[in-house]
């Protein structure tokens, strides 16, 4: 597995345009949240809903990449889980549509951002970059707070 910084650097290559970065700051968290919502809706007999085991595995992945960044990702994942659960409780049968609409709109935003950037999304080269996008944004927050990644 690659170290975190080379992955962040490689991700940053196709994220230089200010507008694309702004779009990513909005759309990447929305995609992450909507996927969390989808996982919350899928239940299995042994594990219950898939959101908690999936987010735990994701947290382990981020922990392996960074001994500090994983904490921010765990906090963000927990917020996504709580908000998804709240949407599920409040809207029950319509929750899937809310997650789907947010997911689709956020991806449209992402592709529009890359059209503006003039570069293909990183995940088309390596699917791992679907997980690096949220970490890249969290790393920007860490840097602004002067927290080592």
């Amino acid at each position: 597995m690659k170290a975190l910084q080379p992955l962040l650097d490689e991700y940053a290559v196709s994220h230089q345009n200010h507008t694309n970065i702004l779009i990513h700051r909005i759309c990447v968290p929305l995609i992450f949240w909507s996927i969390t919502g989808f996982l919350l809706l899928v239940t299995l007999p042994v594990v219950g809903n898939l959101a908690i085991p999936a987010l735990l595995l994701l947290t382990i992945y981020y922990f392996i990449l960074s001994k500090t960044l994983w904490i921010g990702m765990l906090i963000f994942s927990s917020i996504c889980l709580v908000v998804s659960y709240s949407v599920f409780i409040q809207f029950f049968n319509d929750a899937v549509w809310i997650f789907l609409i947010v997911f689709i709109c956020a991806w449209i935003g992402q592709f529009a951002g890359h059209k503006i950037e003039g570069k293909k999304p990183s995940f088309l080269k390596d699917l791992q970059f679907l997980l690096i996008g949220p970490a890249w944004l969290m790393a920007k927050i860490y840097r602004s707070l002067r927290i080592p990644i």
Side-chain angles (χ1 to χ4, degrees):
M1 181 182 296
K2 281 186 180 178
L4 179 62
Q5 194 57 55
L7 289 167
L8 296 175
D9 292 344
E10 190 173 345
Y11 188 86
V13 168
S14 59
H15 301 87
Q16 297 294 311
N17 179 280
H18 177 71
T19 303
N20 188 30
I21 293 170
L22 178 61
I23 289 169
H24 275 63
R25 285 182 179 162
I26 296 166
C27 292
V28 167
L30 288 174
I31 291 168
F32 192 102
W33 171 78
S34 63
I35 292 171
T36 302
F38 288 134
L39 292 171
L40 185 69
L41 299 177
V42 177
T43 57
L44 298 175
V46 177
V47 296
N49 74 64
L50 283 182
I52 293 173
L55 292 175
L56 286 174
L57 289 173
L58 192 57
T59 300
I60 291 167
Y61 169 77
Y62 289 129
F63 177 78
I64 291 168
L65 287 177
S66 169
K67 301 306 183 241
T68 56
L69 191 76
W70 74 273
I71 297 167
M73 292 307 301
L74 176 63
I75 292 167
F76 175 67
S77 298
S78 299
I79 292 168
C80 287
L81 186 61
V82 168
V83 174
S84 294
Y85 186 72
S86 297
V87 167
F88 174 71
I89 293 299
Q90 186 169 358
F91 297 101
F92 191 61
N93 290 331
D94 294 327
V96 68
W97 294 108
I98 294 168
F99 299 139
L100 185 61
I101 289 166
V102 169
F103 182 82
I104 291 169
C105 290
W107 272 110
I108 290 169
Q110 291 282 86
F111 284 110
H114 280 286
K115 180 78 172 164
I116 293 165
E117 177 88 38
K119 295 181 183 163
K120 293 180 182 178
S122 302
F123 77 87
L124 293 176
K125 178 181 174 185
D126 183 348
L127 287 177
Q128 182 175 213
F129 285 107
L130 290 170
L131 303 177
I132 297 303
W136 180 72
L137 291 173
M138 187 62 68
K140 285 183 164 296
I141 293 169
Y142 270 47
R143 284 188 195 104
S144 71
L145 297 172
R146 302 188 198 287
I147 299 171
I149 59 167

